């Protein structure tokens, strides 16, 4: 399958992109917005198979991570940086008409882009395990923490009170929380793209979001779009898992507020439905895009 890699100049740095496959007939490309902030495109490579159906799939590492790594610039890690990067990438690659899939923070980026920039040429949007409100997200994470052992609850509460997020007891509790709701351990049987070393944008995550999933203290801490998402006109597919950081309540909140949206709940899945139920996920996405090309 044809793979093109390249870099786009951005803010004096460079943004890495990867294009798999090419569009045939009436099919429009799919642009993938990864999570974090500060994760990388790597995990999305489990979606390469979508290109086998005659559709270009466009991956990129947002500034601050992976092959677009930058650090020592905490002032960069705000939504404006990543909003404008997406705008510039579409111009750079001539992406006039696209489908857009945002996972976790990438879904927030998609929501903000749609609501605040009113872009043309968006055929459809997939909001995968994402959120309409940092406040609602933090509230739901804390609700799930209450189902953990008292020892883990106490360790997390102590770290939140003292601000010491290096305490070994807290780190162990947070690892257990993420194992429950984010993703399983990476093993030798995991897809290669998950096993591959990657340069995580720790500074981008901490400055942009916070020390963990349930304390949004960074530049996105007050991020609130529940009052805006009702204005989204594009077809929207919402996806999450029953055991996801994006809880059914968070997904339902988006479903209730976005007119005409569709919601698919993946039983038993955590934050990475596209890994844990890859075939089902790809089939769903493929049929959705076919419908809205």
């Amino acid at each position: 399958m044809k793979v093109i890699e390249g870099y786009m100049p951005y803010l004096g740095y460079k943004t890495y992109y990867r294009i798999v496959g090419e569009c045939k007939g009436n099919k429009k490309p799919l642009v993938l917005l990864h999570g974090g902030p500060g994760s990388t495109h790597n995990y999305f490579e489990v979606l390469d198979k979508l290109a086998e159906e005659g559709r270009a799939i466009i991956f990129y590492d947002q500034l601050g991570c992976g092959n677009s790594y930058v650090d020592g610039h905490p002032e960069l890690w705000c939504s404006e940086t990543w909003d404008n990067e997406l705008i510039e990438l579409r111009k750079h690659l001539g992406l006039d008409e696209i489908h857009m899939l945002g996972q976790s923070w990438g879904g927030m980026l998609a929501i903000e882009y749609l609501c605040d920039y009113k872009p043309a040429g968006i055929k459809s949007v997939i909001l995968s395990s994402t959120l309409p409100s940092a406040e609602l997200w933090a509230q739901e994470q804390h609700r799930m923490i209450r189902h953990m052992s008292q020892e883990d609850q106490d360790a997390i509460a102590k770290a939140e009170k003292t601000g010491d997020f290096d305490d070994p007891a807290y780190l162990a509790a947070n690892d257990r929380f993420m194992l429950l709701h984010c993703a399983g351990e990476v093993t030798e049987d995991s897809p290669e793209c998950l096993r591959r070393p990657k340069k995580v944008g720790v500074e981008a995550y901490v400055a942009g979001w916070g020390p963990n999933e349930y304390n949004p203290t960074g530049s996105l801490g007050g991020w609130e779009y529940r009052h805006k998402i009702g204005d989204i006109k594009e077809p929207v597919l919402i996806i999450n898992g029953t055991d996801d950081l994006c809880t059914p309540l968070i997904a339902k909140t988006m479903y209730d507020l976005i007119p005409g949206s569709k919601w698919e709940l993946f039983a038993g899945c955590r934050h990475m439905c596209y890994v844990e139920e890859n075939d089902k996920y790809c089939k769903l996405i493929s049929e959705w895009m076919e419908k809205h090309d």
Side-chain angles (χ1 to χ4, degrees):
M1 197 154 35
K2 184 178 178 184
V3 178
I4 296 170
E5 294 179 286
Y7 289 90
M8 172 188 77
Y10 182 59
L11 297 182
Y13 306 103
K14 58 184 183 178
T15 296
Y16 164 85
Y17 61 84
R18 172 180 182 267
I19 304 170
V20 180
E22 47 197 333
C23 291
K24 294 175 181 173
N26 194 42
K27 294 187 178 183
K28 305 300 186 293
L30 172 64
V31 175
L32 301 171
L33 313 178
H34 68 68
S39 187
T40 70
H41 82 278
N42 292 28
Y43 58 52
F44 271 149
E45 289 185 26
V46 299
L47 302 179
D48 275 5
K49 63 174 74 169
L50 290 169
E52 294 168 4
E53 299 172 5
R55 188 186 302 279
I57 313 298
I58 293 144
F59 309 72
Y60 72 104
D61 286 341
Q62 296 159 23
L63 196 66
C65 68
N67 295 322
S68 309
Y69 189 82
V70 176
D71 68 1
H73 292 278
E75 74 283 356
L76 284 175
W77 313 131
C78 59
S79 55
E80 185 181 11
T81 295
W82 294 303
D83 291 342
N84 287 324
E85 182 179 40
L86 173 57
I87 291 165
E88 290 305 313
L89 189 76
R90 283 190 71 188
K91 287 181 193 170
H92 185 76
L93 296 177
L95 300 171
D96 297 331
E97 291 187 304
I98 62 169
H99 299 279
M100 189 165 61
L101 187 159
Q103 190 264 347
S104 197
W105 143 251
M108 297 167 65
L109 175 56
I111 287 169
E112 183 161 325
Y113 179 53
L114 291 170
C115 292
D116 293 352
Y117 296 85
K118 305 285 194 258
I122 307 295
K123 304 298 285 186
S124 80
V125 183
I126 299 113
L127 298 177
S128 189
S129 298
T130 189
L131 54 143
S133 160
E135 178 187 49
L136 177 62
W137 186 263
Q139 172 191 308
E140 279 291 271
Q141 308 315 302
H142 281 97
R143 180 184 61 77
M144 293 193 293
I145 288 168
R146 293 198 294 272
H147 293 284
M148 299 180 74
S149 71
Q150 193 59 51
E151 182 184 6
D152 283 349
Q153 290 185 58
D154 292 346
I156 289 169
K158 181 183 175 187
E160 290 180 322
K161 186 176 180 180
T162 62
D164 179 8
F165 294 103
D166 296 315
D167 184 303
Y170 155 76
L171 291 170
N174 187 61
D175 283 349
R176 282 188 281 272
F177 177 78
M178 295 298 277
L179 197 59
L180 284 168
H181 301 294
C182 187
E185 291 177 3
V186 175
T187 70
E188 59 184 20
D189 297 322
S190 301
E192 185 277 331
C193 62
L194 301 183
R195 290 182 277 115
R196 188 190 314 151
K198 66 179 183 180
K199 203 159 177 80
V200 177
V202 174
E203 181 183 89
Y205 181 78
V206 174
W209 182 255
N212 52 42
E213 284 302 305
Y214 32 93
N215 284 282
T217 52
S219 64
L220 296 164
W223 197 86
E224 179 59 72
Y225 274 73
R226 281 176 288 192
H227 61 301
K228 289 187 176 183
I229 58 176
D231 295 334
I232 294 175
K233 300 290 190 288
E234 293 80 3
V236 174
L237 171 62
I238 296 157
I239 298 173
N240 76 312
T242 54
D243 303 334
D244 202 332
L245 294 167
C246 171
T247 65
L249 175 64
I250 295 170
K252 185 179 185 298
T253 299
M254 293 187 287
Y255 175 67
D256 287 346
L257 291 172
I258 300 173
S261 57
K262 180 184 176 184
W263 175 24
E264 190 78 24
L265 181 62
F266 279 62
C269 283
R270 289 166 286 189
H271 201 46
M272 296 170 72
C273 304
Y274 48 91
V275 172
E276 295 186 326
E277 285 276 12
N278 182 253
D279 288 342
K280 178 183 174 183
Y281 192 97
C282 287
K283 183 173 185 287
L284 176 68
I285 296 297
S286 181
E287 290 173 354
W288 171 261
M289 292 189 293
E290 289 274 352
K291 182 179 175 183
H292 295 289
D293 275 324

